């Protein structure tokens, strides 16, 4: 037995670095399972926080014929003991569709190894169906599943050649092969793998290497208790680690415990006890470190699942609500509800994943066949985990009941890591990028705790008052020469098919809309448009002159940083000089749009020809410096991830600390429906409801003491959504809008205008006090407030068709 100092030194190395092969082998002498498990759990928490994942799957035993004769297996059958050599594709599709209705997202294909090399029945069945091999038929069936359902195939096809992996890669999101053991001794006569050519360690490791070369997200693992020693287990884990270090393609390592089965040569063999299983799980975690997913099947160890979690796993593998475990038919799957309760007993939160793990989802273009990428992106959130409800930004679907229930939970208990972050946020300390990412990853009680902490800060900073402004959006042109991939509003030469034809408002129409807005009680016009190729900096000055003439007392909130940059450049003026000129012409404040996500890796995909992060921040800083307050926004949920959101929030925070010029922060969830980048299959479907709520809540926490006003967009979030946001740190519902066209162009359906009465009804329904404000959060003009409550129906807006040349935006006095 090792002395305690040696164990401590090994564990210290594992916790703060990586064990060498020799150091890992020394663990075989350590019998202190509890000590190993404590260190392993620490590592696991570092990599996976409070979550334990599972994949909701349907099991497809495509064939139970196999040329191997493993001495513990009851899955493989002879032709005389089965009704048919292969499951017909129609039966597969029927089973997958049933599973799809129950929320399954993975079809696990398992099959014997190359039965056609051993059985005439297999060869004849394949020939009758028109296939030369089992794997050729498998590729056909998996392709049908992809074409006819939303379920993603995971393929366990055994040993494969390079050509076979290439055949299966376009029809599977992931694949796998259990190494089981790297011990050649287990292939000797009298041992469990004798007579099984596909179970030789080198054959299986060669398949693993080929999968790595082909960039296939892969599963592997070891089977314990079949006659191997603990030292041999460690060697098997090290063999897997070597392959993963070379290619980086192992998503998970399974530690599966042998279960003796009647009718096999090993029916009387002893099964590994609980301590042996826990020891192996802990050692696997210590060898692979914090980032590798370590899995143990829950159906093979009923009644002891909290102990298994405590040993260092972070995943339960595939759990089926439809089909049994055909490899271990004696061990039924636990119901997901029961699994969640068992997981909760260990202080963890059970959540779904796809067959492809989040870190691989986030690099889908590298790890998946191109045809699979759009299918995957439409199914995931920003972390790479599956969408589990039907809510979409801007659509009419009900808010998810699960999130609403969590919001209503009294005194949720956050994990230690999240609780520490919340405590620092409440103390107005700067959070790190990783802190913020951790908050966006919050699920279960962590999610509830983040939202409630944000709401407590809202109450402390803003009280129970919820504000809104009566305003009108005037989008003066939808012609734009920029090629932002997310935008369904702007029109170029080839985009007339997207939501209407190009227009360019005349000065008369701009003036008419401003006058009408004032008469209907508006205190603000919000002016933005596409970057028309004929516009110059003078155009924006003319728009201001027209507005000043039409509605002298109106607050003009206009021109994104992109428009300001474009205007300054066309006039050859420094940015500061042009902003001063705009201010002198009547501009009162700037919207903080065109930010999208302030991370140039995202912008390179989303809006490559737009101003970059530094330029956007510079425009805001200069605006603040000349006395023009601005808002700040983020448009999220497309090609971005949580680290990009964190970078955005930190950039806004840093500038606010420097200038104090941001009046509010406005999260804008991406509306995907008509967005070009989504229609091309290159973006997600927008953020989930959970992510949308968290963006408001996390912003409140990050900006604590710096930006007091966090706004929710009713156009994006819908009525239920903004009411939920009011319990997640929000204190403002934005504007009544009168004409909202940009979000509508992207496919939203929540309406173009709301009224003060509707705003106040929503606020009162949440037990809050409504307050009509002006743009800068002062008191609204009482005369305008009265007008807003008795406003007549809007006149029909006329979108003046775009002409070849720019029309003047300066309204002549005579035409007024």
């Amino acid at each position: 037995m090792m002395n305690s100092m040696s164990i401590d030194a090994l564990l210290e190395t594992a916790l703060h670095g990586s064990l060498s092969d020799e150091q890992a082998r020394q663990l075989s002498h350590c019998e202190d399972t509890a000590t190993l498990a404590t260190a392993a759990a620490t590592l696991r928490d570092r990599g996976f926080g409070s979550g334990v994942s599972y994949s909701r799957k349907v099991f497809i035993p495509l064939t139970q014929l196999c040329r191997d004769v493993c001495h513990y297996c009851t899955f493989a059958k002879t032709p005389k003991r089965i009704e048919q050599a292969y499951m017909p594709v129609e039966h597969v599709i029927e089973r997958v569709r049933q599973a799809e209705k129950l929320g399954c997202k993975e079809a696990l294909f398992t099959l014997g190894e190359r039965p056609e090399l051993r059985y005439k029945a297999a060869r004849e069945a394949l020939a009758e169906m028109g296939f030369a091999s089992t794997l050729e038929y498998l590729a056909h069936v998996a392709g049908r599943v992809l074409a006819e359902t939303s379920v993603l195939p995971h393929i366990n096809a055994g040993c494969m050649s390079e050509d076979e992996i290439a055949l299966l890669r376009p029809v599977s999101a992931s694949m796998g092969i259990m190494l089981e053991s790297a011990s050649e001794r287990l292939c000797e006569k009298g041992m469990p793998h004798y007579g099984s050519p596909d179970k030789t360690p080198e054959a299986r490791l060669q398949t693993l290497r080929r999968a790595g070369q082909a960039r296939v997200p892969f599963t592997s693992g070891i089977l314990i208790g079949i006659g191997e020693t603990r030292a041999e287990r460690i060697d098997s884990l090290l063999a897997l680690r070597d392959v993963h270090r070379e290619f980086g393609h192992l998503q998970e390592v399974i530690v599966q415990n042998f279960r003796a089965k009647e009718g096999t040569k090993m029916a009387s063999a002893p099964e590994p006890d609980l301590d042996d299983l826990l020891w192996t799980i802990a050692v696997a975690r210590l060898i692979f470190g914090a980032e590798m997913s370590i899995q143990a099947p829950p159906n093979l160890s009923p009644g002891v699942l909290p102990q298994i979690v405590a040993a260092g796993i972070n995943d339960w593998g595939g759990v089926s609500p439809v089909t049994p475990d055909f490899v271990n038919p004696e061990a039924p799957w636990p119901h997901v509800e029961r699994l969640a309760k068992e997981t909760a007993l260990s202080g963890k939160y059970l959540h779904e994943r796809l067959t492809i793990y989040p870190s691989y989802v986030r690099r889908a273009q590298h790890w998946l066949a191109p045809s699979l990428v759009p299918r995957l992106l439409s199914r995931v959130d920003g972390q790479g985990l599956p969408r589990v409800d039907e809510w979409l930004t801007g659509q009419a679907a009900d808010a998810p009941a699960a999130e609403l229930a969590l919001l209503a939970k009294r005194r949720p208990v956050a994990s230690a890591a999240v609780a520490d972050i919340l405590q620092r946020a409440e103390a107005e300390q700067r959070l790190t990028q990783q802190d913020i990412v951790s908050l966006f990853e919050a699920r279960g009680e962590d999610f509830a705790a983040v939202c409630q902490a944000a709401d407590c800060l809202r109450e402390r900073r803003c009280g129970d008052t919820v504000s809104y402004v009566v305003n009108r959006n005037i989008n003066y042109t939808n012609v734009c020469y920029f090629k932002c991939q997310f935008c369904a509003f702007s029109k170029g030469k080839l985009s007339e098919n997207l939501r209407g034809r190009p227009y360019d408002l005349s000065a008369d129409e701009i003036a008419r809309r401003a006058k009408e807005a004032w008469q209907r009680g508006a205190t603000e016009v919000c002016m933005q448009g596409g970057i028309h190729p004929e516009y110059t900096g003078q155009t924006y000055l003319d728009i201001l002159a027209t507005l000043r003439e039409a509605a002298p007392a109106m607050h003009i909130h206009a021109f994104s940083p992109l428009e300001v940059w474009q205007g300054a450049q066309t006039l050859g003026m420094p940015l500061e000089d042009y902003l001063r000129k705009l201010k002198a012409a009547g501009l009162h404040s700037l919207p903080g749009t065109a930010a999208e996500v302030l991370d140039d890796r995202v912008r390179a995909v989303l809006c490559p020809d737009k101003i970059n992060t530094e330029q956007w921040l510079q425009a805001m800083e200069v605006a603040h410096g000349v006395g023009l307050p601005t808002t700040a926004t983020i448009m999220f949920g497309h090609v971005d991830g949580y680290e990009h959101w964190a970078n955005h929030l930190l950039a806004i925070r840093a500038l606010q600390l420097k200038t104090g010029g941001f009046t509010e922060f406005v999260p804008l969830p991406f509306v995907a429906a008509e967005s070009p980048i989504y229609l091309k299959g290159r973006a997600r479907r927008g953020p989930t409801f959970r992510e949308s709520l968290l963006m408001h809540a996390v912003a409140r926490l990050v900006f604590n003491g710096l930006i007091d006003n966090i706004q929710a967009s009713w156009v994006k979030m819908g009525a239920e959504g903004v009411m939920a946001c009011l319990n997640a740190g929000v204190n403002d519902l934005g504007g009544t809008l009168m004409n909202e066209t940009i979000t509508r162009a992207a496919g939203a359906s929540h309406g173009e205008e709301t009224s003060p009465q509707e705003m106040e009804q929503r606020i009162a329904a949440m037990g809050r006090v409504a307050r009509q404000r002006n743009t800068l959060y002062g008191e609204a003009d009482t005369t305008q407030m009265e007008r807003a409550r008795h406003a007549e129906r809007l006149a029909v807006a006329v979108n003046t068709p775009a002409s070849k040349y720019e029309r003047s935006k300066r309204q002549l006095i005579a035409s007024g």
Side-chain angles (χ1 to χ4, degrees):
M1 180 179 292
M2 299 180 63
N3 62 58
S4 59
M5 286 297 295
S6 297
I7 295 172
D8 289 344
L10 285 174
L11 296 183
E12 188 70 16
T13 300
L15 288 169
H16 297 98
S18 178
L19 295 172
S20 68
D21 288 4
E22 185 54 40
Q23 288 170 331
R25 290 188 177 101
Q26 291 181 50
L27 294 174
S28 66
H29 304 294
C30 176
E31 297 179 0
D32 187 351
T33 300
T35 297
L36 296 177
T38 298
T42 299
L43 271 179
R44 183 270 321 283
D45 290 350
R46 192 178 300 165
F48 296 92
S50 61
V52 176
S53 56
Y54 78 101
S55 175
R56 201 173 183 94
K57 73 174 181 183
V58 56
F59 209 124
I60 306 295
L62 196 63
T63 180
Q64 291 185 258
L65 299 177
C66 184
R67 72 166 177 166
D68 294 327
V69 289
C70 300
H71 297 179
Y72 46 78
C73 180
T74 58
F75 175 77
K77 311 289 186 184
T78 61
K80 293 180 180 180
R81 297 180 61 197
I82 57 175
E83 294 182 6
Q84 52 194 0
Y86 294 90
M87 183 184 291
V89 65
E90 291 78 13
H91 291 184
V92 173
I93 297 299
E94 181 182 1
R95 179 174 289 182
V96 174
R97 284 176 175 159
Q98 291 173 350
E100 186 178 26
K101 292 177 182 177
L102 294 173
C104 291
K105 301 172 181 67
E106 172 189 344
L108 169 59
F109 284 89
T110 190
L111 53 152
E113 300 242 10
R114 305 185 188 279
E116 66 272 25
L117 300 183
R118 179 176 182 181
Y119 295 116
K120 180 180 179 182
R123 293 191 293 273
E124 289 176 344
L126 288 168
E128 185 176 345
M129 293 186 295
F131 299 98
S133 69
T134 298
L135 296 192
E136 191 176 303
Y137 178 57
L138 171 60
H140 169 74
V141 177
R144 287 279 302 273
V145 168
L146 274 175
E148 299 176 35
T149 78
S150 64
V151 178
L152 296 170
H154 170 86
I155 289 175
N156 285 346
C159 293
M160 294 177 284
S161 68
E162 292 177 5
D163 289 344
E164 288 165 338
I165 291 173
L167 174 69
L168 295 172
R169 187 172 186 259
V171 294
S172 60
S174 58
M175 301 186 212
I177 186 172
M178 287 290 284
L179 174 60
E180 298 193 5
S181 177
S183 173
E184 296 282 356
R185 186 176 61 84
L186 299 186
C187 297
E188 296 173 358
K189 190 172 183 178
M191 300 302 287
H193 290 158
Y194 181 71
S196 300
D198 299 295
K199 289 300 178 77
T200 61
E202 184 50 40
R204 298 180 90 72
L205 287 168
Q206 185 59 34
T207 294
L208 281 160
R209 286 190 285 270
R210 288 168 178 156
Q213 291 167 343
R215 302 200 310 275
V216 176
F218 223 69
T219 291
S220 193
I222 62 173
L223 178 61
I224 69 169
I226 57 173
E228 81 292 345
T229 66
R230 284 187 169 184
E232 287 172 329
R233 289 179 201 172
I234 289 174
D235 282 340
S236 300
L237 293 169
L238 291 174
L240 291 174
R241 188 174 74 169
D242 286 345
V243 174
H244 180 64
R245 282 179 170 176
E246 185 173 0
F247 301 106
H249 65 309
L250 286 189
Q251 301 189 109
E252 61 188 354
V253 172
I254 303 171
V255 177
Q256 182 173 329
N257 46 315
F258 162 71
R259 295 287 297 267
K261 299 171 179 62
E262 293 184 10
T264 68
K265 292 184 178 181
M266 295 181 66
S268 300
E271 298 178 352
D273 61 20
L274 177 59
D275 183 75
D276 205 15
L277 174 61
L278 300 180
W279 181 93
T280 310
I281 290 169
V283 167
R285 172 62 68 195
L286 294 170
I287 288 173
F288 279 96
E291 302 302 321
M292 177 60 73
S293 186
I294 305 295
Q295 178 192 125
N299 58 319
L300 300 185
S301 304
V304 295
L305 300 189
Q307 292 97 307
I308 289 175
V309 173
I313 71 153
N314 64 283
D315 187 78
W316 290 123
V319 176
S320 179
V322 186
T323 51
D325 180 350
F326 288 92
V327 176
N328 297 283
E330 77 289 350
W333 298 113
H335 291 293
V336 171
E337 294 77 10
R338 177 62 183 271
L339 188 61
K341 290 178 181 177
E342 294 273 350
T343 305
L345 290 174
S346 62
K348 300 297 177 185
Y349 170 71
L350 183 70
H351 65 84
E352 269 192 80
R353 61 165 173 84
L354 297 177
T355 181
I356 175 171
Y357 273 78
S359 61
Y360 295 83
V361 170
R362 293 195 293 271
R363 296 185 61 208
Q365 286 80 5
H366 177 83
W367 288 109
L368 289 182
S371 60
L372 288 174
V373 174
R375 298 174 62 90
L376 181 70
L377 291 179
S378 69
R379 289 162 172 75
V380 298
D381 65 16
Q383 191 177 353
L385 291 170
R387 305 179 72 99
V388 293
D389 57 62
E390 296 302 315
W391 188 87
L392 291 173
T393 309
Q395 304 303 311
D398 293 338
E403 273 75 16
L404 294 180
L406 284 167
L407 276 181
K409 188 175 180 65
R410 298 187 64 184
R411 297 185 182 90
V413 180
S415 63
V418 168
D420 174 68
I421 297 170
L422 296 179
Q423 186 176 22
R424 286 186 279 118
E426 289 165 3
E428 300 184 20
Q429 296 180 21
R430 181 188 181 278
L431 301 183
T432 67
Q433 183 205 52
Q434 185 53 55
D435 289 336
I436 299 171
V437 168
S438 296
L439 295 180
F440 282 124
E441 291 175 345
R443 296 170 192 269
E445 295 215 9
D446 276 347
F447 163 78
V450 171
C451 291
Q452 290 189 23
D455 205 45
C456 288
L457 286 183
R458 182 271 313 159
E459 186 175 15
R460 186 187 309 168
R461 306 291 306 188
C462 308
D464 284 334
T465 298
V466 179
S467 54
Y468 69 94
V469 64
V470 176
N471 67 346
R472 182 170 199 167
N473 275 13
I474 303 178
N475 304 120
Y476 33 79
T477 184
N478 64 353
V479 177
C480 188
Y481 67 86
F482 284 85
K483 298 179 177 64
C484 298
Q485 295 298 299
F486 61 87
C487 184
F489 169 76
S490 65
K491 307 298 168 203
K493 293 180 180 179
L494 303 178
S495 58
E496 289 190 10
N497 60 317
L498 290 176
R499 295 267 172 169
R501 300 180 67 83
Y503 72 82
D504 181 22
L505 298 186
S506 66
D508 285 347
E509 178 60 14
I510 292 173
R512 187 199 67 78
R513 293 190 191 187
K515 289 176 183 177
E516 183 182 37
W518 182 259
Q519 291 163 1
R520 298 180 81 247
T523 58
E524 170 197 307
V525 286
C526 180
M527 303 284 295
Q528 296 178 95
I531 309 299
H532 195 297
E534 302 295 333
Y535 279 19
T536 68
Q538 186 60 46
T539 307
Y540 302 118
L541 293 167
D542 290 346
I543 289 172
L544 292 172
T546 294
L547 290 170
R548 286 276 64 83
E549 178 68 28
M554 187 79 80
H555 182 106
I556 303 176
H557 182 64
F559 312 139
S560 71
L562 176 60
E563 291 168 296
V564 171
W565 270 96
Q566 191 258 5
Q569 287 180 338
T570 58
L571 296 182
M573 296 179 67
L575 196 60
E576 181 176 345
D577 292 352
Y578 184 59
L579 281 164
R580 291 188 185 280
K581 199 172 184 69
L582 290 172
K583 183 181 179 184
L587 181 63
H588 296 111
S589 61
L590 273 70
T593 50
E596 323 327 340
V597 176
L598 295 175
D599 186 302
D600 287 335
R601 294 167 297 176
V602 174
R603 301 179 77 81
V605 177
L606 202 62
C607 46
D609 53 351
K610 217 169 192 175
I611 56 175
N612 60 31
T613 297
E614 182 181 358
Q615 289 171 320
W616 189 94
L617 292 168
Q618 183 184 351
M620 294 287 95
E621 182 174 355
V622 174
H624 298 167
V626 302
L628 286 169
T630 76
T631 64
T633 67
I634 182 171
M635 196 271 289
F636 64 103
H638 31 76
V639 299
D640 45 0
Y642 297 167
E643 69 277 16
H644 307 123
W645 301 356
N647 291 342
H648 183 106
L649 296 181
L650 288 172
I652 296 293
R653 185 186 190 279
L655 184 54
Q656 182 72 348
L657 196 63
K658 185 176 183 180
T659 68
F662 291 120
T663 59
E664 64 190 8
F665 182 74
V666 189
L668 301 172
F670 174 56
V671 180
E674 299 292 336
S675 173
I677 196 168
Y678 174 70
L679 294 175
K680 293 173 185 176
R682 296 173 53 210
R684 302 194 302 280
R685 299 176 71 191
T688 65
F689 190 73
R690 180 191 68 86
E691 290 173 322
S692 296
L693 290 184
L694 282 174
M695 181 59 77
H696 296 82
V698 174
R700 170 67 68 186
L701 295 164
V702 171
F703 300 141
N704 185 24
L706 293 173
I707 301 176
D708 281 344
N709 300 306
I710 307 297
Q711 182 185 120
S713 166
W714 60 269
V715 176
K716 304 273 195 308
M717 294 296 299
E720 271 195 304
V722 293
M723 290 172 76
C725 287
L726 290 176
N727 283 331
V730 163
N731 71 295
D732 187 79
L733 297 188
T736 58
L737 300 181
M738 296 193 196
N739 290 107
E740 200 295 315
T741 55
I742 294 176
T743 303
R744 293 279 289 180
S749 58
H750 286 316
E752 299 182 67
E753 179 182 22
T754 191
S755 67
Q757 291 89 335
E758 289 172 317
M759 283 285 201
E760 292 173 6
Q761 285 171 6
R762 293 171 185 167
I763 294 166
M766 296 299 295
R768 305 286 171 81
V769 179
R771 170 179 172 260
Q772 187 176 328
R773 62 170 174 86
N774 62 24
T775 305
L776 301 182
Y777 286 82
E779 297 301 323
D781 180 86
T782 54
T783 301
Q784 290 301 92
M785 290 174 66
E786 185 65 20
R787 285 177 174 172
R789 280 161 172 74
H790 299 90
E792 296 181 359
R793 185 181 296 272
L794 275 169
V796 176
V798 178
N799 285 341
T800 319
S803 60
K804 184 175 181 182
Y805 301 104
E806 180 207 356
R807 60 172 51 86
S808 173
K809 293 296 186 290
R810 185 70 179 262
Q811 190 185 38
L812 300 176
I813 300 299
S815 68

